[in-house]
Amino acid sequence: FKRAATYRIAKLRVNEALRRRDAASRRAALDEALALLAKLPKPSEVGGPEGRALTDAVGRLALAEADEARRQSLTALSGIPGITVKRARRELRGAKKRLRTAVERYEAELEALRGVSSGTPDGDRRGDLRLRLAQARLLAARLDNELASTYASGSDEAEKLNRAAAERLGELYQKYSKWVVGLYAHLYDGRCDRQLGEHALAAGCFESRVSQPASTPELSRLVTLANAELVALRLATNDVAVAVEDGEAWLDTLEGSQREGAEAATLRSWVGIDKHRLAAGDGLNDSARKRLLRSARELLGEAARTPSEVQAPARDAWAAAPALLGIESADLVRLDKVEVDD
């Protein structure tokens, strides 16, 4: 039990690291937890107190490493000094390795718990581990898609990674289609298809998710992100007016905290970018064009201030809007306090 307590201390170190705002301090604390776990012997019984404590610590560290790698990647792609794309790739690959270790621990303990009765402590533990296993598998597949984003669009490496991610996400959707994690797998599968230029496949994924009931806050976030992906797809297929109309219609349904999250910011960003495209088209008088650009700039400004996966392109498009409106850059409100996605 003393050794089990040491594993629990390692998990607490990870939780402490996640509360640190400074990236270097957070990284150092995660490395400390990793070093602590590496020094401890592997328990002989995977289902005993020590084994369970190790599984919990390894799983928490894997999720933290994945979150940190995503931050590093988004920082690098945003052009913020301090993180190179090469380093971001290394972090993403390292995080995927940690997730594989966590998956192995989950699978081993689940095997040890095979046949336990539901409603018992062991049954509850098995249910929790099944969910954690599904989430770790989903995140590992997503990291391939995020790794693909660090390579030039259309490059062999980006296509290879996206195809691998799409295949795995499709498998996860089939396995977990009745769970929320499975619905997210379907959504991210569609994102890979969109980035691969396979628009019909992507549309099928997004439209399925957009049409589902948003009966809980979690499902509402999922549907909001699906709407964002559908708007992005319609930009690629030149259905821009429809994209703007549908995207704004969903934004109007969001209330309270739903309007403040990363999913809503992602949707605002894509609607703003689509309005830019509409404003550049033919058949608009100067007044209508400027209305579109002002609306786009407002949406993009909100998106640029909110941590999300599209924060960087939102900032770029926001910065480009003033010139199109004839506004001098010196008159702009600066986005100095923008934070990178957490």
PDB file of all heavy atoms in Angstrom, residues 24-55:
ATOM      1  N   ALA A  24       6.988  26.280 -19.673  1.00  0.00           N
ATOM      2  CA  ALA A  24       8.238  25.655 -19.238  1.00  0.00           C
ATOM      3  C   ALA A  24       8.066  24.998 -17.874  1.00  0.00           C
ATOM      4  O   ALA A  24       8.558  23.879 -17.634  1.00  0.00           O
ATOM      5  CB  ALA A  24       9.350  26.696 -19.187  1.00  0.00           C
ATOM      6  N   SER A  25       7.376  25.668 -16.965  1.00  0.00           N
ATOM      7  CA  SER A  25       7.130  25.114 -15.636  1.00  0.00           C
ATOM      8  C   SER A  25       6.248  23.877 -15.719  1.00  0.00           C
ATOM      9  O   SER A  25       6.475  22.884 -15.012  1.00  0.00           O
ATOM     10  CB  SER A  25       6.474  26.174 -14.750  1.00  0.00           C
ATOM     11  OG  SER A  25       6.124  25.640 -13.499  1.00  0.00           O
ATOM     12  N   ARG A  26       5.243  23.934 -16.594  1.00  0.00           N
ATOM     13  CA  ARG A  26       4.339  22.788 -16.766  1.00  0.00           C
ATOM     14  C   ARG A  26       5.100  21.582 -17.318  1.00  0.00           C
ATOM     15  O   ARG A  26       4.942  20.452 -16.854  1.00  0.00           O
ATOM     16  CB  ARG A  26       3.204  23.190 -17.706  1.00  0.00           C
ATOM     17  CG  ARG A  26       2.057  22.219 -17.764  1.00  0.00           C
ATOM     18  CD  ARG A  26       0.851  22.843 -18.444  1.00  0.00           C
ATOM     19  NE  ARG A  26       1.151  23.346 -19.763  1.00  0.00           N
ATOM     20  CZ  ARG A  26       0.984  24.616 -20.137  1.00  0.00           C
ATOM     21  NH1 ARG A  26       0.543  25.501 -19.279  1.00  0.00           N
ATOM     22  NH2 ARG A  26       1.254  25.000 -21.366  1.00  0.00           N
ATOM     23  N   ARG A  27       5.968  21.838 -18.296  1.00  0.00           N
ATOM     24  CA  ARG A  27       6.756  20.774 -18.896  1.00  0.00           C
ATOM     25  C   ARG A  27       7.700  20.145 -17.877  1.00  0.00           C
ATOM     26  O   ARG A  27       7.853  18.922 -17.814  1.00  0.00           O
ATOM     27  CB  ARG A  27       7.551  21.345 -20.076  1.00  0.00           C
ATOM     28  CG  ARG A  27       8.471  20.388 -20.824  1.00  0.00           C
ATOM     29  CD  ARG A  27       7.710  19.360 -21.602  1.00  0.00           C
ATOM     30  NE  ARG A  27       7.532  18.122 -20.863  1.00  0.00           N
ATOM     31  CZ  ARG A  27       6.755  17.131 -21.264  1.00  0.00           C
ATOM     32  NH1 ARG A  27       6.058  17.243 -22.382  1.00  0.00           N
ATOM     33  NH2 ARG A  27       6.656  16.035 -20.552  1.00  0.00           N
ATOM     34  N   ALA A  28       8.325  20.967 -17.057  1.00  0.00           N
ATOM     35  CA  ALA A  28       9.251  20.470 -16.040  1.00  0.00           C
ATOM     36  C   ALA A  28       8.525  19.591 -15.024  1.00  0.00           C
ATOM     37  O   ALA A  28       9.041  18.544 -14.602  1.00  0.00           O
ATOM     38  CB  ALA A  28       9.938  21.632 -15.342  1.00  0.00           C
ATOM     39  N   ALA A  29       7.321  19.995 -14.642  1.00  0.00           N
ATOM     40  CA  ALA A  29       6.553  19.219 -13.669  1.00  0.00           C
ATOM     41  C   ALA A  29       6.114  17.875 -14.261  1.00  0.00           C
ATOM     42  O   ALA A  29       6.110  16.850 -13.566  1.00  0.00           O
ATOM     43  CB  ALA A  29       5.339  20.016 -13.207  1.00  0.00           C
ATOM     44  N   LEU A  30       5.739  17.855 -15.535  1.00  0.00           N
ATOM     45  CA  LEU A  30       5.377  16.596 -16.189  1.00  0.00           C
ATOM     46  C   LEU A  30       6.587  15.672 -16.282  1.00  0.00           C
ATOM     47  O   LEU A  30       6.471  14.451 -16.070  1.00  0.00           O
ATOM     48  CB  LEU A  30       4.806  16.868 -17.586  1.00  0.00           C
ATOM     49  CG  LEU A  30       3.405  17.479 -17.640  1.00  0.00           C
ATOM     50  CD1 LEU A  30       3.020  17.824 -19.068  1.00  0.00           C
ATOM     51  CD2 LEU A  30       2.380  16.515 -17.048  1.00  0.00           C
ATOM     52  N   ASP A  31       7.744  16.228 -16.589  1.00  0.00           N
ATOM     53  CA  ASP A  31       8.971  15.425 -16.651  1.00  0.00           C
ATOM     54  C   ASP A  31       9.303  14.837 -15.286  1.00  0.00           C
ATOM     55  O   ASP A  31       9.787  13.702 -15.180  1.00  0.00           O
ATOM     56  CB  ASP A  31      10.139  16.272 -17.158  1.00  0.00           C
ATOM     57  CG  ASP A  31      10.026  16.591 -18.641  1.00  0.00           C
ATOM     58  OD1 ASP A  31       9.273  15.878 -19.340  1.00  0.00           O
ATOM     59  OD2 ASP A  31      10.685  17.545 -19.098  1.00  0.00           O
ATOM     60  N   GLU A  32       9.036  15.602 -14.235  1.00  0.00           N
ATOM     61  CA  GLU A  32       9.277  15.120 -12.869  1.00  0.00           C
ATOM     62  C   GLU A  32       8.383  13.927 -12.555  1.00  0.00           C
ATOM     63  O   GLU A  32       8.835  12.918 -11.976  1.00  0.00           O
ATOM     64  CB  GLU A  32       9.031  16.256 -11.879  1.00  0.00           C
ATOM     65  CG  GLU A  32       9.322  15.889 -10.440  1.00  0.00           C
ATOM     66  CD  GLU A  32       9.025  17.034  -9.484  1.00  0.00           C
ATOM     67  OE1 GLU A  32       8.840  18.172  -9.959  1.00  0.00           O
ATOM     68  OE2 GLU A  32       8.973  16.780  -8.265  1.00  0.00           O
ATOM     69  N   ALA A  33       7.112  14.018 -12.941  1.00  0.00           N
ATOM     70  CA  ALA A  33       6.186  12.902 -12.712  1.00  0.00           C
ATOM     71  C   ALA A  33       6.598  11.681 -13.523  1.00  0.00           C
ATOM     72  O   ALA A  33       6.530  10.539 -13.041  1.00  0.00           O
ATOM     73  CB  ALA A  33       4.767  13.335 -13.082  1.00  0.00           C
ATOM     74  N   LEU A  34       7.027  11.916 -14.755  1.00  0.00           N
ATOM     75  CA  LEU A  34       7.474  10.815 -15.611  1.00  0.00           C
ATOM     76  C   LEU A  34       8.690  10.118 -15.013  1.00  0.00           C
ATOM     77  O   LEU A  34       8.772   8.881 -14.985  1.00  0.00           O
ATOM     78  CB  LEU A  34       7.802  11.356 -17.002  1.00  0.00           C
ATOM     79  CG  LEU A  34       8.285  10.350 -18.051  1.00  0.00           C
ATOM     80  CD1 LEU A  34       7.227   9.294 -18.294  1.00  0.00           C
ATOM     81  CD2 LEU A  34       8.630  11.066 -19.344  1.00  0.00           C
ATOM     82  N   ALA A  35       9.644  10.905 -14.518  1.00  0.00           N
ATOM     83  CA  ALA A  35      10.848  10.338 -13.912  1.00  0.00           C
ATOM     84  C   ALA A  35      10.499   9.540 -12.662  1.00  0.00           C
ATOM     85  O   ALA A  35      11.086   8.472 -12.401  1.00  0.00           O
ATOM     86  CB  ALA A  35      11.834  11.451 -13.578  1.00  0.00           C
ATOM     87  N   LEU A  36       9.547  10.027 -11.878  1.00  0.00           N
ATOM     88  CA  LEU A  36       9.134   9.322 -10.667  1.00  0.00           C
ATOM     89  C   LEU A  36       8.534   7.966 -11.009  1.00  0.00           C
ATOM     90  O   LEU A  36       8.861   6.941 -10.375  1.00  0.00           O
ATOM     91  CB  LEU A  36       8.122  10.174  -9.904  1.00  0.00           C
ATOM     92  CG  LEU A  36       7.527   9.565  -8.625  1.00  0.00           C
ATOM     93  CD1 LEU A  36       8.625   9.256  -7.625  1.00  0.00           C
ATOM     94  CD2 LEU A  36       6.503  10.522  -8.020  1.00  0.00           C
ATOM     95  N   LEU A  37       7.676   7.921 -12.023  1.00  0.00           N
ATOM     96  CA  LEU A  37       7.067   6.661 -12.429  1.00  0.00           C
ATOM     97  C   LEU A  37       8.104   5.686 -12.976  1.00  0.00           C
ATOM     98  O   LEU A  37       8.020   4.473 -12.751  1.00  0.00           O
ATOM     99  CB  LEU A  37       5.988   6.916 -13.490  1.00  0.00           C
ATOM    100  CG  LEU A  37       4.646   7.443 -12.983  1.00  0.00           C
ATOM    101  CD1 LEU A  37       3.752   7.826 -14.148  1.00  0.00           C
ATOM    102  CD2 LEU A  37       3.964   6.396 -12.118  1.00  0.00           C
ATOM    103  N   ALA A  38       9.084   6.201 -13.717  1.00  0.00           N
ATOM    104  CA  ALA A  38      10.107   5.342 -14.316  1.00  0.00           C
ATOM    105  C   ALA A  38      10.950   4.632 -13.261  1.00  0.00           C
ATOM    106  O   ALA A  38      11.483   3.540 -13.502  1.00  0.00           O
ATOM    107  CB  ALA A  38      10.996   6.171 -15.237  1.00  0.00           C
ATOM    108  N   LYS A  39      11.098   5.233 -12.093  1.00  0.00           N
ATOM    109  CA  LYS A  39      11.926   4.655 -11.029  1.00  0.00           C
ATOM    110  C   LYS A  39      11.217   3.539 -10.271  1.00  0.00           C
ATOM    111  O   LYS A  39      11.854   2.727  -9.608  1.00  0.00           O
ATOM    112  CB  LYS A  39      12.321   5.749 -10.026  1.00  0.00           C
ATOM    113  CG  LYS A  39      13.290   6.783 -10.571  1.00  0.00           C
ATOM    114  CD  LYS A  39      13.562   7.850  -9.514  1.00  0.00           C
ATOM    115  CE  LYS A  39      14.499   8.924 -10.048  1.00  0.00           C
ATOM    116  NZ  LYS A  39      14.709  10.007  -9.055  1.00  0.00           N
ATOM    117  N   LEU A  40       9.883   3.516 -10.367  1.00  0.00           N
ATOM    118  CA  LEU A  40       9.128   2.550  -9.572  1.00  0.00           C
ATOM    119  C   LEU A  40       9.051   1.200 -10.276  1.00  0.00           C
ATOM    120  O   LEU A  40       8.843   1.128 -11.484  1.00  0.00           O
ATOM    121  CB  LEU A  40       7.714   3.086  -9.322  1.00  0.00           C
ATOM    122  CG  LEU A  40       7.632   4.341  -8.460  1.00  0.00           C
ATOM    123  CD1 LEU A  40       6.214   4.880  -8.453  1.00  0.00           C
ATOM    124  CD2 LEU A  40       8.082   4.053  -7.036  1.00  0.00           C
ATOM    125  N   PRO A  41       9.194   0.089  -9.545  1.00  0.00           N
ATOM    126  CA  PRO A  41       9.081  -1.239 -10.156  1.00  0.00           C
ATOM    127  C   PRO A  41       7.650  -1.512 -10.606  1.00  0.00           C
ATOM    128  O   PRO A  41       6.691  -0.972 -10.047  1.00  0.00           O
ATOM    129  CB  PRO A  41       9.490  -2.176  -9.023  1.00  0.00           C
ATOM    130  CG  PRO A  41       9.206  -1.419  -7.773  1.00  0.00           C
ATOM    131  CD  PRO A  41       9.467   0.022  -8.092  1.00  0.00           C
ATOM    132  N   LYS A  42       7.523  -2.354 -11.610  1.00  0.00           N
ATOM    133  CA  LYS A  42       6.206  -2.696 -12.129  1.00  0.00           C
ATOM    134  C   LYS A  42       5.533  -3.690 -11.190  1.00  0.00           C
ATOM    135  O   LYS A  42       6.110  -4.723 -10.849  1.00  0.00           O
ATOM    136  CB  LYS A  42       6.338  -3.305 -13.535  1.00  0.00           C
ATOM    137  CG  LYS A  42       5.057  -3.328 -14.330  1.00  0.00           C
ATOM    138  CD  LYS A  42       5.343  -3.745 -15.757  1.00  0.00           C
ATOM    139  CE  LYS A  42       4.081  -3.711 -16.596  1.00  0.00           C
ATOM    140  NZ  LYS A  42       4.363  -4.103 -18.000  1.00  0.00           N
ATOM    141  N   PRO A  43       4.320  -3.411 -10.730  1.00  0.00           N
ATOM    142  CA  PRO A  43       3.643  -4.320  -9.806  1.00  0.00           C
ATOM    143  C   PRO A  43       3.424  -5.696 -10.431  1.00  0.00           C
ATOM    144  O   PRO A  43       3.204  -5.819 -11.644  1.00  0.00           O
ATOM    145  CB  PRO A  43       2.306  -3.626  -9.531  1.00  0.00           C
ATOM    146  CG  PRO A  43       2.535  -2.196  -9.875  1.00  0.00           C
ATOM    147  CD  PRO A  43       3.514  -2.214 -11.000  1.00  0.00           C
ATOM    148  N   SER A  44       3.440  -6.722  -9.595  1.00  0.00           N
ATOM    149  CA  SER A  44       3.266  -8.089 -10.099  1.00  0.00           C
ATOM    150  C   SER A  44       1.813  -8.375 -10.466  1.00  0.00           C
ATOM    151  O   SER A  44       1.540  -9.176 -11.357  1.00  0.00           O
ATOM    152  CB  SER A  44       3.752  -9.098  -9.044  1.00  0.00           C
ATOM    153  OG  SER A  44       3.063  -8.900  -7.815  1.00  0.00           O
ATOM    154  N   GLU A  45       0.876  -7.740  -9.795  1.00  0.00           N
ATOM    155  CA  GLU A  45      -0.545  -7.956 -10.068  1.00  0.00           C
ATOM    156  C   GLU A  45      -1.151  -6.682 -10.646  1.00  0.00           C
ATOM    157  O   GLU A  45      -1.227  -5.656  -9.954  1.00  0.00           O
ATOM    158  CB  GLU A  45      -1.289  -8.342  -8.784  1.00  0.00           C
ATOM    159  CG  GLU A  45      -0.881  -9.694  -8.215  1.00  0.00           C
ATOM    160  CD  GLU A  45      -1.727 -10.062  -7.014  1.00  0.00           C
ATOM    161  OE1 GLU A  45      -2.780  -9.411  -6.814  1.00  0.00           O
ATOM    162  OE2 GLU A  45      -1.324 -10.971  -6.277  1.00  0.00           O
ATOM    163  N   VAL A  46      -1.597  -6.776 -11.882  1.00  0.00           N
ATOM    164  CA  VAL A  46      -2.139  -5.583 -12.534  1.00  0.00           C
ATOM    165  C   VAL A  46      -3.418  -5.103 -11.873  1.00  0.00           C
ATOM    166  O   VAL A  46      -3.745  -3.903 -11.890  1.00  0.00           O
ATOM    167  CB  VAL A  46      -2.378  -5.857 -14.035  1.00  0.00           C
ATOM    168  CG1 VAL A  46      -3.537  -6.821 -14.244  1.00  0.00           C
ATOM    169  CG2 VAL A  46      -2.640  -4.564 -14.797  1.00  0.00           C
ATOM    170  N   GLY A  47      -4.173  -6.029 -11.239  1.00  0.00           N
ATOM    171  CA  GLY A  47      -5.439  -5.658 -10.630  1.00  0.00           C
ATOM    172  C   GLY A  47      -5.358  -5.376  -9.150  1.00  0.00           C
ATOM    173  O   GLY A  47      -6.375  -5.061  -8.525  1.00  0.00           O
ATOM    174  N   GLY A  48      -4.145  -5.459  -8.564  1.00  0.00           N
ATOM    175  CA  GLY A  48      -3.993  -5.166  -7.148  1.00  0.00           C
ATOM    176  C   GLY A  48      -3.926  -3.675  -6.892  1.00  0.00           C
ATOM    177  O   GLY A  48      -3.937  -2.863  -7.827  1.00  0.00           O
ATOM    178  N   PRO A  49      -3.838  -3.261  -5.627  1.00  0.00           N
ATOM    179  CA  PRO A  49      -3.794  -1.824  -5.306  1.00  0.00           C
ATOM    180  C   PRO A  49      -2.663  -1.088  -6.016  1.00  0.00           C
ATOM    181  O   PRO A  49      -2.862   0.017  -6.518  1.00  0.00           O
ATOM    182  CB  PRO A  49      -3.608  -1.805  -3.783  1.00  0.00           C
ATOM    183  CG  PRO A  49      -4.142  -3.116  -3.324  1.00  0.00           C
ATOM    184  CD  PRO A  49      -3.847  -4.094  -4.406  1.00  0.00           C
ATOM    185  N   GLU A  50      -1.460  -1.700  -6.049  1.00  0.00           N
ATOM    186  CA  GLU A  50      -0.328  -1.059  -6.720  1.00  0.00           C
ATOM    187  C   GLU A  50      -0.565  -0.978  -8.214  1.00  0.00           C
ATOM    188  O   GLU A  50      -0.290   0.047  -8.847  1.00  0.00           O
ATOM    189  CB  GLU A  50       0.959  -1.825  -6.429  1.00  0.00           C
ATOM    190  CG  GLU A  50       1.406  -1.777  -4.983  1.00  0.00           C
ATOM    191  CD  GLU A  50       2.646  -2.606  -4.742  1.00  0.00           C
ATOM    192  OE1 GLU A  50       3.206  -3.147  -5.718  1.00  0.00           O
ATOM    193  OE2 GLU A  50       3.067  -2.715  -3.572  1.00  0.00           O
ATOM    194  N   GLY A  51      -1.064  -2.082  -8.805  1.00  0.00           N
ATOM    195  CA  GLY A  51      -1.315  -2.100 -10.244  1.00  0.00           C
ATOM    196  C   GLY A  51      -2.345  -1.069 -10.664  1.00  0.00           C
ATOM    197  O   GLY A  51      -2.181  -0.371 -11.666  1.00  0.00           O
ATOM    198  N   ARG A  52      -3.412  -0.955  -9.890  1.00  0.00           N
ATOM    199  CA  ARG A  52      -4.453   0.030 -10.211  1.00  0.00           C
ATOM    200  C   ARG A  52      -3.925   1.458 -10.065  1.00  0.00           C
ATOM    201  O   ARG A  52      -4.228   2.325 -10.888  1.00  0.00           O
ATOM    202  CB  ARG A  52      -5.667  -0.184  -9.303  1.00  0.00           C
ATOM    203  CG  ARG A  52      -6.419  -1.467  -9.593  1.00  0.00           C
ATOM    204  CD  ARG A  52      -7.714  -1.563  -8.801  1.00  0.00           C
ATOM    205  NE  ARG A  52      -8.453  -2.756  -9.148  1.00  0.00           N
ATOM    206  CZ  ARG A  52      -9.715  -3.000  -8.796  1.00  0.00           C
ATOM    207  NH1 ARG A  52     -10.370  -2.085  -8.082  1.00  0.00           N
ATOM    208  NH2 ARG A  52     -10.317  -4.112  -9.156  1.00  0.00           N
ATOM    209  N   ALA A  53      -3.140   1.665  -9.021  1.00  0.00           N
ATOM    210  CA  ALA A  53      -2.583   3.006  -8.832  1.00  0.00           C
ATOM    211  C   ALA A  53      -1.645   3.377  -9.977  1.00  0.00           C
ATOM    212  O   ALA A  53      -1.634   4.521 -10.433  1.00  0.00           O
ATOM    213  CB  ALA A  53      -1.839   3.071  -7.497  1.00  0.00           C
ATOM    214  N   LEU A  54      -0.865   2.389 -10.450  1.00  0.00           N
ATOM    215  CA  LEU A  54       0.023   2.642 -11.585  1.00  0.00           C
ATOM    216  C   LEU A  54      -0.783   2.938 -12.849  1.00  0.00           C
ATOM    217  O   LEU A  54      -0.463   3.869 -13.608  1.00  0.00           O
ATOM    218  CB  LEU A  54       0.938   1.448 -11.821  1.00  0.00           C
ATOM    219  CG  LEU A  54       1.861   1.547 -13.049  1.00  0.00           C
ATOM    220  CD1 LEU A  54       2.772   2.765 -12.952  1.00  0.00           C
ATOM    221  CD2 LEU A  54       2.685   0.279 -13.224  1.00  0.00           C
ATOM    222  N   THR A  55      -1.838   2.169 -13.084  1.00  0.00           N
ATOM    223  CA  THR A  55      -2.690   2.410 -14.255  1.00  0.00           C
ATOM    224  C   THR A  55      -3.262   3.822 -14.233  1.00  0.00           C
ATOM    225  O   THR A  55      -3.260   4.530 -15.248  1.00  0.00           O
ATOM    226  CB  THR A  55      -3.843   1.386 -14.299  1.00  0.00           C
ATOM    227  OG1 THR A  55      -3.297   0.073 -14.462  1.00  0.00           O
ATOM    228  CG2 THR A  55      -4.788   1.670 -15.460  1.00  0.00           C
TER     229      THR A  55
END
